[in-house]
Amino acid sequence: MVQLYVTDNQASVSLPYIRLRGVRKVRAEPGERVTVGFGITAGRDLTLVDERLRTVVEPGTFEIKIGSSSARIHLGATLTVT
């Protein structure tokens, strides 16, 4: 199983440190490499509910993480929203 997580580094409100945003179940033999793709949509994956109860995407940096669990992150990248 491959999981996509997002961390908002500059949120104006309190958020969980890491939020699960996608899951893909894949089968691979030992030693086999498999490519798994995730699409990140700002309106779905980067939103928060602000202090005025609006669903918004705030500018800032987001950590995009891929792993088999939140404790086992294998890849990561930084995404900047302006």
Side-chain angles (χ1 to χ4, degrees):
M1 187 170 321
V2 181
Q3 300 175 350
L4 168 71
Y5 294 93
V6 174
T7 298
D8 186 335
N9 293 327
Q10 298 165 313
S12 64
V13 295
S14 180
L15 293 174
Y17 167 70
I18 191 168
R19 297 186 289 167
L20 179 65
R21 289 298 185 225
V23 176
R24 299 280 189 278
K25 187 173 183 179
V26 294
R27 293 194 178 186
E29 297 297 321
E32 179 184 7
R33 289 180 179 235
V34 177
T35 300
V36 178
F38 288 98
I40 297 175
T41 303
R44 181 190 67 222
D45 300 314
L46 306 179
T47 60
L48 58 81
V49 177
D50 70 7
E51 67 281 345
R52 294 170 57 189
L53 301 179
R54 299 174 300 172
T55 301
V56 297
V57 177
E58 296 180 331
T61 59
F62 296 81
E63 296 296 322
I64 309 302
K65 302 169 186 176
I66 304 290
S68 51
S69 73
S70 62
R72 296 197 53 163
I73 300 298
H74 304 290
L75 296 171
T78 301
L79 173 69
T80 302
V81 173
T82 56

